[in-house]
Amino acid sequence: MYPFELKRRQGVTVRGVDAAWKHQVRLQIYLPFGAGLLVVGLLIGLLWLSGVGDASAWADVSIVLLFALAILLGIVGLVIIVAAMIGVIYLIRLIPPPFDRTRSAASEAQAAVSQASEAAAKPVIVPRAASYALIAGVRYLAGIFKG
C-alpha cells in the first residue's frame, strides 16, 4: 500500500504537505531565532542611542550575546544527543533477531549435551545401580531370615 494513498483520497497532495512543512519550519525555527536577533539588535541600538556607553552596559550586552551563543551550542549538543538516542533505539530494534538465533542455538546445544551426558553416564550408572539393588535385596532377605 502506498503510504500517501489515504491522504490522496482525502484531497491532500504532496505539494500541500511540503507547504505545511515549510510553514511549520518558519513558525517554529525562523520566527524565534529572528525574534531573538531582533531583541539583541534593539538592545544594542537602545544602548547606542541613549549614550550610556559605559563599560558596564556593554559588558551586559556582551554577556547576553555570549548566553545566546551558549544556548545555540547547547542546542547543537542536544541535537547530537537526540540523534545518538535515536541511533541506539534503531540498533536495539535490530538486535533481537541475532540474539534469538543465538538463544535457540544455545538451547539446542544444551539439549544435545544433556542427551550426550545421559548416554555417557548410563553404562556406568545402570550396572552400579543393579549391583546396589541386588546387594540391598540380599541384605533384606538375610534380615528376614535372621530374625
Side-chain angles (χ1 to χ4, degrees):
M1 180 175 180
Y2 187 70
F4 290 107
E5 186 175 355
L6 182 64
K7 291 184 178 179
R8 283 188 180 168
R9 281 189 248 160
Q10 294 174 350
V12 176
T13 63
V14 175
R15 186 173 292 157
V17 171
D18 286 341
W21 171 262
K22 288 178 183 178
H23 175 71
Q24 285 297 103
V25 167
R26 285 187 207 112
L27 187 64
Q28 294 177 356
I29 295 174
Y30 295 133
L31 180 65
F33 187 68
L37 286 178
L38 182 67
V39 167
V40 170
L42 286 175
L43 250 170
I44 291 172
L46 287 174
L47 282 174
W48 191 279
L49 290 177
S50 67
V52 186
D54 61 345
S56 175
W58 288 109
D60 292 340
V61 171
S62 65
I63 285 177
V64 168
L65 292 174
L66 287 174
F67 278 146
L69 181 62
I71 288 171
L72 287 176
L73 290 176
I75 289 173
V76 169
L78 181 66
V79 167
I80 290 171
I81 290 172
V82 168
M85 286 175 22
I86 290 171
V88 166
I89 290 169
Y90 179 73
L91 289 176
I92 287 173
R93 288 183 184 166
L94 291 178
I95 287 176
F99 277 128
D100 286 342
R101 287 192 298 264
T102 305
R103 183 184 48 79
S104 65
S107 177
E108 290 172 7
Q110 179 187 5
V113 166
S114 176
Q115 288 176 354
S117 66
E118 285 182 23
K122 199 176 264 189
V124 175
I125 293 174
V126 170
R128 189 173 288 170
S131 66
Y132 285 142
L134 182 64
I135 292 170
V138 169
R139 285 186 182 160
Y140 180 73
L141 287 175
I144 290 175
F145 291 120
K146 281 186 181 178

